Amino acid sequence: MEESSDDSLVERISEKVIVLIGPTAVGKTKLSIELAKKLNAEIISGDSMQIYKEMDIGTAKITKAEMEGIPHHLIDIKEPTESYSVADFQVDVRRTIKDIHNRGKVAMIVGGTGLYIQSVIYDYHFTDQASDPDYRVNLEKLIEEEGIEPSFRKLQVIDPESADRIHPNNIRRVIRALEIHHTTGKTMTQYLNEQEKTLIYDVAIIGLTMEREELYNRINQRVDLMVEEGLLDEVERLYNKGIRDCQSIQAIGYKEVYDYLEGNVSLNQAIEILKQNSRRYAKRQLTWFRNKMNVTWFDVTNKPFSNTLDEILKYVAGKL
């Protein structure tokens, strides 16, 4: 994890920030546009994969037409071959919030990547305090001699949550996670969770939810629509460019199609696995948000869109 060089970004500040979260396919995009119109807001993507160029359909990236003129930030800022960490995201988003606020607008973070959003609005510090340079050098030598696999398997055992987030070939992050455990006796996950959860913004955290059966149906329908819109062609273009073993390709919607392109599964199997992985991801998202963040939830099951919009506008007016 990198250290933030701009100390002013982690000082207590008074900018108003709206956070709109929820599981995949629950309807965040449409609602965010209408809220932004009403609240004079600009939108910051809170999705760890929408930062990548050329990855539009599989990440359900908002289109220019759907934006309806609302400025969006942190979309298409990295090549698919580049790595991007939660610490990078924290710095970039806090800088963007300050810029939006300086222009007299309200910043709205919209997305479903829990840890990334949490790192921005709470006083999280990504520092090198838990460090052991000798251990790090020895681990680098070991990886150079034996490859990354043994070290990554070790991380999977001691900190499965971090191993789930970190790509096996992201050597720097694997080493950092192991170094934290070696130095503190705690996993990176514990290290982050034990930090003080102090909000550094005047924030309203809005969560959208719906009955599980309806949500899963929407997820399945979304996957079918992605396939109709050209998901296979999008992924195949990346595959044909020789893009392999990158953080970006671990995204749901890409790793499953890669398995198909490599002949490991049939197309129908890949699509069904994609649906299953998307449903499981939605469940993990809801668990994270409910356990880690102070969210005000709005159930949108069978509710008219206008009613939800009015309820949330009233909530925001009272909160901010």
Side-chain angles (χ1 to χ4, degrees), residues 49-289:
M49 290 299 160
Q50 291 188 358
I51 61 167
Y52 290 111
K53 301 172 184 176
E54 303 180 64
M55 298 175 62
D56 302 331
I57 299 171
T59 63
K61 195 178 292 176
I62 189 170
T63 65
K64 288 291 184 185
E66 289 171 334
M67 289 180 186
E68 297 188 36
I70 301 297
H72 280 65
H73 305 271
L74 266 71
I75 293 175
D76 292 337
I77 63 170
K78 291 289 179 181
E79 299 296 333
T81 51
E82 294 182 274
S83 294
Y84 192 75
S85 72
V86 61
D88 296 327
F89 181 83
Q90 183 193 64
V91 171
D92 287 343
V93 173
R94 286 180 176 175
R95 224 171 250 152
T96 304
I97 290 171
K98 186 171 287 292
D99 179 55
I100 291 171
H101 180 257
N102 287 341
R103 286 185 282 105
K105 299 287 197 74
V106 173
M108 185 190 309
I109 304 173
V110 180
T113 307
L115 177 63
Y116 276 50
I117 296 172
Q118 193 178 25
S119 76
V120 171
I121 62 175
Y122 292 97
D123 192 18
Y124 268 31
H125 297 278
F126 297 100
T127 72
D128 287 327
Q129 291 175 347
S131 65
D132 184 337
D134 291 337
Y135 176 83
R136 187 162 60 238
V137 169
N138 289 335
L139 195 52
E140 287 170 352
K141 289 179 180 176
L142 185 68
I143 290 172
E144 189 175 340
E145 293 169 1
E146 300 182 356
I148 188 64
E149 292 83 6
S151 294
F152 188 74
R153 284 198 297 269
K154 181 178 180 181
L155 180 62
Q156 287 177 310
V157 172
I158 65 174
D159 188 3
E161 276 193 69
S162 291
D164 191 48
R165 292 195 305 268
I166 298 172
H167 188 273
N169 286 339
N170 195 331
I171 294 173
R172 178 176 56 83
R173 293 188 68 200
V174 172
I175 289 175
R176 182 61 181 138
L178 290 172
E179 183 185 15
I180 287 176
H181 183 260
H182 169 79
T183 307
T184 67
K186 301 172 184 176
T187 66
M188 181 187 287
T189 304
Q190 290 172 321
Y191 184 74
L192 293 176
N193 286 342
E194 289 177 6
Q195 294 195 50
E196 289 188 25
K197 301 297 192 298
T198 304
L199 285 167
I200 64 169
Y201 295 99
D202 188 1
V203 63
I205 307 177
I206 301 156
L208 301 184
T209 186
M210 63 172 50
E211 291 178 1
R212 180 171 296 185
E213 184 176 355
E214 182 175 343
L215 178 63
Y216 285 0
N217 285 337
R218 288 178 64 139
I219 289 171
N220 293 339
Q221 291 168 8
R222 171 182 274 190
V223 171
D224 289 335
L225 182 60
M226 285 177 172
V227 173
E228 289 176 19
E229 291 178 340
L231 176 63
L232 300 182
D233 290 338
E234 177 175 278
V235 180
E236 192 167 11
R237 283 194 294 272
L238 298 171
Y239 185 85
N240 290 339
K241 286 184 176 182
I243 297 174
R244 307 281 194 281
D245 298 324
C246 298
Q247 178 180 335
S248 61
I249 302 306
Q250 294 307 299
I252 295 173
Y254 296 84
K255 59 185 178 181
E256 296 86 359
V257 178
Y258 262 55
D259 273 347
Y260 160 67
L261 294 173
E262 291 174 348
N264 298 325
V265 295
S266 69
L267 178 56
N268 286 339
Q269 286 174 319
I271 293 171
E272 286 308 309
I273 293 169
L274 170 51
K275 290 178 179 178
Q276 183 182 67
N277 287 343
S278 298
R279 294 192 300 268
R280 287 175 174 170
Y281 178 57
K283 184 178 179 181
R284 291 199 305 273
Q285 286 176 302
L286 285 167
T287 299
W288 176 282
F289 291 134

